Amino acid sequence: MRKFYSQLFQILDSKQKRQARFSVFLILIGGIIDVIGLSIVLPVLAVANDPDLINSNSFIFGVKTALGLSDSGFLQLFFLSLVLVFVVRAWVYVAIKVSLSRFSYGISANKSVELLVNFFNSELLENKGKQTSDIVRDIVINTQHFSSFVIMPFLLVVSEFVIITILLTALLFYDPLLVGLVFLVVFPSASVFYFLSKRKVTNIGNSRNIVHSKVTDIVLRGVAGLVEMKLFREENSLLSYLEKEQRKLVDLNVKKAVLVDLFPKLMEVTAVLGIVAVFFYATFIDTSNNLLILLGVFGAASYRIIPSINKIVANLLFLREYSFLFDIISKADGQKRVNHSVAAKDTISFNKAIQFHEVEFYFDKSSDFKTVLPELEIKKGSVFGVVGESGSGKTTLINLLLGFYYPKSGKVAIDGKELSIDNRRSWWDQIGFVRQDVFIINESLKKNVCFGIKDSDIDMEKLRSSCEQAQLNSLIERFPNGLDESLGENGNKLSGGQKQRVAIARSLYKNSEILVFDEATSGLDSKTEAEIFATLMQLNDQGLTIVLITHNPANIKYCDHVLELADGKIKVIDTKENG
């Protein structure tokens, strides 16, 4: 438990730690009210067993006399007070539960945002090789699980422990031997069960997380590859794979359910043994005590203690099962989101050329593949082509140009100024990017072109001009809602060429100085591709610098300069002039 406490408080920020301490305070208040409610049961049982106590007990008689009530009237008030106390106790419990839940699930919302901020702030290389399904699962699902199966169980364990401690302390004043009896009957079995189960539950949790990841990946694969699944008759193969992993989940869930449900049954047997022990205690050890009252006290205590023990063990098992979440949530380290209203630390102006000086890049020192660019210049206003087979280093070159990768040696410079982490935000502001799989959000055409701009800040005249330059007017006229027409998920209302034009309009609205075309037309038919290039050449005539990445040698006719890459190295640099 101390380990969980330490791990939890390392993850929480200062405000959340204050909220956690306040939550513990509320738990303490709830525990005290719980004990007060149960303590009233004792005099009620005593009076119910011996009504003469109303007059023989000086305290009770004094209260009755002060209120001016008859015996029957006082007895009615007595029982009514018991009901009222339990009503108040229930109301306080609900209020505390709301406060604890708000605290717990507030953390999950906060950590979900922090994990996405951490993802945005990470470098492109850090996420290379990570599965999309794992990233989505951690941000969306595991943050919720952290609240439901780590924070809430932790608070419940603390809550129930406080209640049991206060209750046993109160009972200690009534009958120490009875408390010892309760302790000896209940706690050993609970401790042994938890000790034997904790490692099994931890293994179940780790295994479930792995299988959940596989199941999510299978479903995403089926949804994204629907056409290929049908054409290659792979539906049944994927379904069999899903069924196999789901069977693993079933087995793990059954094991977990048996462990969780077994303990309450064990406690029921323990409670019966406790009643037998009380009977023997009252009959053979301390015959001066009234058996009915002792059984009532034990029953009242067991009524609250045994469910508390059940909750403590069940929630400790939850903590064990989901302990792997601490490693995931710890990545939400409170990084601040980028404040775009604050100027970049350093700025870059693009007026002359982009230069690569003795650039060398590799993913792994031991790898034989390296991208080597001794000297390279992309002049402003030119169309610069990069051709090469798949895997030749074209995408690496683009990521170096964009500032997503940094050279292991040498430098990338714009107008002689080295591109760095301090000035790349300024550089990004000047770049438009169009790739084969254009990024389209499930929003209107207007929001897709004015990406990241608030509705109130959109310049409609500039928007219409950008769409006209990208030759989107005919599409807008066909849409019933014009610029407000939703483009659907992943732009499913658009053709491939129309998606390219939306991306071009997006770059124009942004006032991009340079447009990077990364294999953007490779999936288009020749007619549509020619139309897109005609648009690009018109934009180039207006001064837009274009970097064209392609594996199709036929496209080099549009370029002023052509660089051919092979195995990460420059093979040929050609120009229109030297043909």
Side-chain angles (χ1 to χ4, degrees):
M1 190 64 183
R2 186 181 301 172
K3 178 185 176 182
F4 291 124
Y5 175 86
S6 175
Q7 287 179 307
L8 183 58
F9 267 69
Q10 284 177 3
I11 288 173
L12 303 181
D13 59 32
S14 55
K15 180 182 177 181
Q16 290 165 344
K17 287 175 182 176
R18 289 195 299 271
Q19 291 174 330
R21 294 186 183 100
F22 180 69
S23 297
V24 172
F25 171 74
L26 290 179
I27 288 169
L28 182 62
I29 296 299
I32 293 171
I33 292 174
D34 244 348
V35 171
I36 291 173
L38 288 174
S39 65
I40 293 177
V41 173
L42 296 178
V44 169
L45 285 172
V47 170
N49 185 57
D50 183 7
D52 292 336
L53 281 175
I54 296 174
N55 296 309
S56 61
N57 185 286
S58 58
F59 177 76
I60 296 176
F61 181 75
V63 173
K64 187 196 81 167
T65 303
L67 294 174
L69 296 173
S70 63
D71 287 359
S72 61
F74 180 77
L75 200 59
Q76 291 173 8
L77 180 63
F78 206 36
F79 283 108
L80 184 62
S81 299
L82 176 65
V83 172
L84 183 61
V85 167
F86 273 82
V87 168
V88 171
R89 173 175 169 267
W91 182 85
V92 171
Y93 171 81
V94 170
I96 292 174
K97 183 71 174 180
V98 168
S99 178
L100 296 182
S101 297
R102 194 177 298 279
F103 162 67
S104 175
Y105 292 107
I107 289 176
S108 75
N110 177 268
K111 295 302 177 184
S112 179
V113 172
E114 283 187 12
L115 281 174
L116 188 55
V117 169
N118 184 65
F119 177 76
F120 284 149
N121 289 346
S122 62
E123 295 295 335
L124 201 62
L125 278 174
E126 293 177 42
N127 297 300
K128 190 176 179 64
K130 289 184 179 179
Q131 289 191 332
T132 302
S133 58
D134 289 345
I135 295 171
V136 172
R137 181 202 62 203
D138 288 347
I139 294 174
V140 178
I141 298 173
N142 279 336
T143 48
Q144 289 290 323
H145 284 173
F146 186 68
S147 288
S148 300
F149 302 118
V150 175
I151 297 177
M152 286 302 291
F154 177 81
L155 293 174
L156 283 169
V157 168
V158 172
S159 172
E160 299 302 329
F161 181 78
V162 167
I163 289 170
I164 289 175
T165 302
I166 295 174
L167 189 58
L168 290 178
T169 303
L171 287 175
L172 198 62
F173 289 100
Y174 178 77
D175 193 327
L177 285 175
L178 185 62
V179 172
L181 184 62
V182 171
F183 188 86
L184 289 174
V185 168
V186 174
F187 286 92
S189 55
S191 300
V192 170
F193 181 86
Y194 174 70
F195 179 79
L196 294 176
S197 303
K198 61 181 184 180
R199 181 170 293 180
K200 292 180 181 178
V201 170
T202 302
N203 292 336
I204 288 173
N206 291 331
S207 299
R208 273 163 49 98
N209 186 50
I210 293 170
V211 176
H212 270 302
S213 178
K214 290 181 180 179
V215 167
T216 304
D217 183 62
I218 292 168
V219 174
L220 288 176
R221 193 187 310 174
V223 172
L226 178 61
V227 173
E228 288 79 5
M229 289 291 161
K230 289 179 176 294
L231 291 176
F232 289 89
R233 301 182 181 182
E234 275 295 296
E235 307 105 304
N236 290 336
S237 175
L238 193 70
L239 289 170
S240 297
Y241 187 19
L242 179 61
E243 287 171 346
K244 176 185 174 184
E245 295 304 320
Q246 289 287 16
R247 282 195 296 270
K248 290 180 184 178
L249 269 182
V250 169
D251 291 340
L252 291 168
N253 288 332
V254 168
K255 289 177 183 177
K256 175 194 168 186
V258 169
L259 282 172
V260 171
D261 292 342
L262 180 62
F263 183 71
K265 299 303 177 184
L266 177 63
M267 285 294 97
E268 289 176 11
V269 175
T270 301
V272 173
L273 290 175
I275 291 171
V276 172
V278 168
F279 176 81
F280 276 95
Y281 171 73
T283 305
F284 300 108
I285 299 175
D286 189 356
T287 55
S288 63
N289 275 306
N290 186 291
L291 178 61
L292 179 61
I293 293 178
L294 276 179
L295 287 173
V297 171
F298 180 82
S302 299
Y303 163 78
R304 193 60 187 86
I305 289 175
I306 289 180
S308 290
I309 295 294
N310 287 339
K311 290 178 183 178
I312 286 173
V313 171
N315 285 289
L316 282 175
L317 293 179
F318 274 134
L319 286 171
R320 282 283 176 181
E321 181 183 359
Y322 289 91
S323 58
F324 67 88
L325 290 177
F326 282 106
D327 292 333
I328 295 170
I329 302 300
S330 63
K331 297 173 187 174
D333 50 6
Q335 290 188 37
K336 293 183 179 179
R337 62 186 73 188
V338 176
N339 186 351
H340 293 289
S341 63
V342 177
K345 293 180 181 179
D346 195 7
T347 58
I348 277 184
S349 296
F350 179 40
N351 298 306
K352 296 179 181 178
I354 304 164
Q355 301 100 10
F356 286 70
H357 298 295
E358 301 296 333
V359 169
E360 185 175 290
F361 179 85
Y362 48 83
F363 294 106
D364 188 348
K365 270 189 175 182
S366 61
S367 173
D368 293 331
F369 185 88
K370 293 181 181 180
T371 300
V372 180
L373 302 166
E375 291 295 331
L376 176 64
E377 184 175 74
I378 303 173
K379 292 180 180 179
K380 184 176 175 66
S382 67
V383 179
F384 191 92
V386 181
V387 296
E389 298 296 325
S390 296
S392 60
K394 301 189 301 296
T395 300
T396 298
L397 184 149
I398 289 302
N399 283 325
L400 287 165
L401 184 150
L402 294 175
F404 289 130
Y405 292 171
Y406 293 106
K408 301 298 181 181
S409 62
K411 68 177 182 178
V412 179
I414 292 84
D415 289 359
K417 190 169 188 176
E418 185 174 0
L419 184 61
S420 69
I421 194 169
D422 291 330
N423 58 32
R424 65 178 181 176
R425 273 180 56 199
S426 170
W427 179 229
W428 291 340
D429 289 340
Q430 303 174 61
I431 296 175
F433 185 64
V434 184
R435 58 187 178 185
Q436 181 181 356
D437 184 18
V438 176
F439 177 65
I440 301 289
I441 58 174
N442 190 12
E443 290 283 359
S444 66
L445 174 60
K446 177 172 67 177
K447 281 186 172 293
N448 272 282
V449 173
C450 305
F451 186 63
I453 308 295
K454 293 180 181 178
D455 284 350
S456 58
D457 296 333
I458 291 176
D459 184 333
M460 292 303 296
E461 185 177 342
K462 185 179 177 182
L463 168 61
R464 292 190 182 95
S465 174
S466 300
C467 290
E468 183 179 357
Q469 286 180 281
Q471 299 183 11
L472 281 170
N473 283 352
S474 59
L475 176 67
I476 295 170
E477 289 171 2
R478 288 202 303 271
F479 280 156
N481 299 311
L483 287 167
D484 293 316
E485 182 79 13
S486 173
L487 301 186
E489 185 179 9
N490 295 323
N492 56 27
K493 291 185 179 181
L494 303 176
S495 67
Q498 289 167 343
K499 289 181 182 180
Q500 310 301 325
R501 294 189 183 280
V502 170
I504 292 171
R506 181 185 293 165
S507 300
L508 293 172
Y509 186 90
K510 186 185 176 185
N511 294 325
S512 301
E513 295 285 345
I514 177 172
L515 182 62
V516 178
F517 234 62
D518 187 6
E519 304 278 11
T521 61
S522 60
L524 304 180
D525 61 81
S526 57
K527 181 176 180 295
T528 304
E529 184 178 38
E531 291 173 351
I532 293 293
F533 273 109
T535 301
L536 291 177
M537 292 307 102
Q538 290 177 15
L539 295 173
N540 177 245
D541 291 340
Q542 298 170 24
L544 183 67
T545 305
I546 297 173
V547 177
L548 173 64
I549 312 299
T550 182
H551 65 266
N552 183 3
N555 291 330
I556 65 174
K557 64 185 178 183
Y558 299 104
C559 303
D560 299 310
H561 308 279
V562 181
L563 164 68
E564 185 175 356
L565 283 173
D567 297 325
K569 298 174 179 61
I570 295 175
K571 186 176 180 183
V572 176
I573 294 182
D574 199 6
T575 65
K576 285 181 178 178
E577 287 76 15
N578 61 30

